[in-house]
Amino acid sequence: MTLLHGAAEDGDSAAQFTLANHYYRGLGVHQDYEKALALYAKAAEQGLAAAENRLGMMYEKGLGVPQSYGRAMTLYRKAAAQGNALAQFNLGMLYESGKGGRQDYSQALELFRKAAEQGEPDAEEEVGYFYQRGFLGSRDYEKAREWYKRAAEHGCSNAQNQLGYMAQLGLGEEQDYVQALDWYYKAAAQGNPNAQENIGYLYQHGLGVDTDYVQAQTWYYKAAGQGNSNAENQLGYMNQYGLGIPSDSAQALAWYRTAADQGNKTAMENLRALSDRLQAVDPELWQAANTAAQQAAEAQAARRVRIANLQRQIVDLEMDARLEESLAEPGPADASVPALGVQKLRKEADRYRAEAARLRAELAGLDVLAASTAPAQ
């Protein structure tokens, strides 16, 4: 930290960016967005694209500053113009969502392509998604699979899940549940909750495998542990109708409420129907079950927040590790050598990855539910 402070005060942009990361994350220092912002700004003033991108992220999320999509877009553009793949992806996401004030699929796809050509997995997945959904014309499942496979080879679990989804539905190819399950397993191995829920669905309905309610419930619990509302709704359904387990209306009510609180429309309908039936049969039983369900849903909601925070920190730390390594890579012949030195920058990247591994171990203890910890009391 002494070395970082000294180099940052001497005006070294890489040191300013790295020190800002420490304040941004609270690594070795108290988390302080104000100090992080000031240091990122100093590095950005010297044209460091990584710092411009991070400033954009802080404005987009409102971290230490009032949220401003316009300011975020300006900063992303500066970094993207220098070829920063993460900034290109971030800017593309704002154009895709329209959060910057103007939805522009053409601009978004152009930016995703630029980032994807640099091997950015999330950008490769987005290009595939554009072709799958046909945002700029007719759907092209062949091109979608091509880009998804590129992203999947780079470890993108969302792309692996999408490849499974396309195989399951037979989108542009022959329907193949076995291939779908293979892709889902690859994504689920990385903790992807959508893939976990999809595996549960295949086992519940015997698609490509023998019907196995125990396996279905196991995978639904994994997905529900990360807040997947479809899995929560399915657990409610299995409890209500006794699929592989004794019928339990209280458990079903709790799972439906947990999913409904996240806006799941099917769960809302199931919750309403089951509540009406329970009230008509035994109002006192329904009241007790409803109270327990509400408490369980609140506890699960708090747990989801903790899980989401851990997942966000892990992704950000891994991103920072890549950024630190990019600062250590050889630049133009006339570029100045970072005062920190290449080895120290790479060690800093290793430190981020070690912290990400620690948080991942903590997450492993939170993101899987067991039947004994199901929401109903």
Side-chain angles (χ1 to χ4, degrees):
M1 292 300 295
T2 299
L3 177 65
L4 277 176
H5 276 285
E9 289 173 3
D10 287 341
D12 182 74
S13 61
Q16 290 165 343
F17 175 78
T18 302
L19 183 58
N21 284 341
H22 281 265
Y23 284 113
Y24 182 81
R25 306 250 169 260
L27 289 176
V29 293
H30 289 296
Q31 188 179 51
D32 190 326
Y33 287 140
E34 185 176 340
K35 289 183 178 179
L37 195 75
L39 285 161
Y40 285 137
K42 288 181 179 180
E45 286 171 2
Q46 298 185 63
L48 188 69
E52 292 168 339
N53 177 65
R54 177 50 53 76
L55 277 175
M57 291 173 63
M58 294 186 77
Y59 276 101
E60 180 181 351
K61 298 175 182 178
L63 300 177
V65 291
Q67 187 182 52
S68 172
Y69 291 123
R71 181 64 177 148
M73 291 188 80
T74 298
L75 288 159
Y76 287 151
R77 283 195 191 97
K78 288 182 178 181
Q82 296 188 62
N84 185 281
L86 291 171
Q88 291 166 343
F89 173 77
N90 289 334
L91 184 57
M93 290 300 293
L94 288 181
Y95 276 119
E96 180 183 349
S97 65
K99 289 181 178 178
R102 179 167 62 96
Q103 190 174 54
D104 190 328
Y105 287 138
S106 180
Q107 280 274 22
L109 182 58
E110 181 181 350
L111 287 159
F112 290 145
R113 279 185 174 279
K114 288 179 178 179
E117 292 299 340
Q118 298 185 63
E120 181 59 38
D122 290 337
E124 292 170 333
E125 190 263 336
E126 280 293 326
V127 174
Y129 187 68
F130 265 58
Y131 281 116
Q132 180 186 342
R133 295 296 303 274
F135 284 153
L136 291 173
S138 59
R139 298 172 188 259
D140 190 327
Y141 294 129
E142 184 176 349
K143 285 186 177 180
R145 273 196 305 277
E146 176 186 334
W147 282 100
Y148 282 150
K149 285 181 179 179
R150 283 180 58 168
E153 289 171 359
H154 290 143
C156 178
S157 67
N158 286 332
Q160 292 165 344
N161 179 65
Q162 286 299 111
L163 285 166
Y165 180 80
M166 294 183 74
Q168 179 181 339
L169 271 64
L171 300 179
E173 60 183 332
E174 186 176 348
Q175 191 174 48
D176 189 334
Y177 292 123
V178 174
Q179 185 182 48
L181 194 63
D182 181 58
W183 281 116
Y184 288 150
Y185 271 124
K186 288 178 180 177
Q190 297 190 64
N192 187 294
N194 294 328
Q196 293 167 343
E197 183 247 322
N198 288 332
I199 294 172
Y201 184 87
L202 293 182
Y203 274 110
Q204 180 182 348
H205 297 280
L207 302 174
V209 292
D210 293 333
T211 299
D212 188 329
Y213 292 136
V214 173
Q215 280 286 349
Q217 188 180 39
T218 296
W219 284 102
Y220 284 148
Y221 274 129
K222 290 176 183 289
Q226 298 190 68
N228 182 289
S229 66
N230 289 328
E232 292 165 346
N233 176 67
Q234 288 301 119
L235 285 169
Y237 185 88
M238 294 183 77
N239 275 279
Q240 180 177 354
Y241 294 101
L243 301 181
I245 51 178
S247 178
D248 189 329
S249 295
Q251 285 274 22
L253 195 68
W255 280 118
Y256 287 150
R257 183 179 294 280
T258 301
D261 285 348
Q262 296 186 72
N264 188 295
K265 293 183 179 179
T266 303
M268 290 177 186
E269 295 172 0
N270 290 336
L271 176 64
R272 186 182 305 109
L274 181 56
S275 294
D276 290 345
R277 197 179 79 179
L278 288 175
Q279 288 184 77
V281 173
D282 189 334
E284 291 185 3
L285 174 63
W286 173 81
Q287 185 60 51
N290 184 59
T291 299
Q294 182 62 42
Q295 293 172 346
E298 291 172 357
Q300 178 70 343
R303 189 169 166 279
R304 279 199 308 271
V305 170
R306 176 60 180 153
I307 289 171
N309 285 337
L310 284 171
Q311 291 172 329
R312 176 183 55 77
Q313 290 179 64
I314 290 168
V315 169
D316 284 352
L317 282 163
E318 290 174 340
M319 178 181 69
D320 278 349
R322 284 153 49 203
L323 289 172
E324 290 290 339
E325 287 175 338
S326 72
L327 296 178
E329 293 173 359
D334 59 346
S336 60
V337 179
L340 289 179
V342 171
Q343 290 302 317
K344 287 185 174 63
L345 287 170
R346 287 178 177 161
K347 284 183 179 180
E348 192 71 20
D350 290 340
R351 178 174 182 171
Y352 294 142
R353 289 201 171 95
E355 178 64 9
R358 185 189 71 78
L359 293 179
R360 195 175 285 109
E362 184 178 341
L363 178 63
L366 288 172
D367 65 359
V368 178
L369 288 175
S372 61
T373 59
Q377 301 298 314

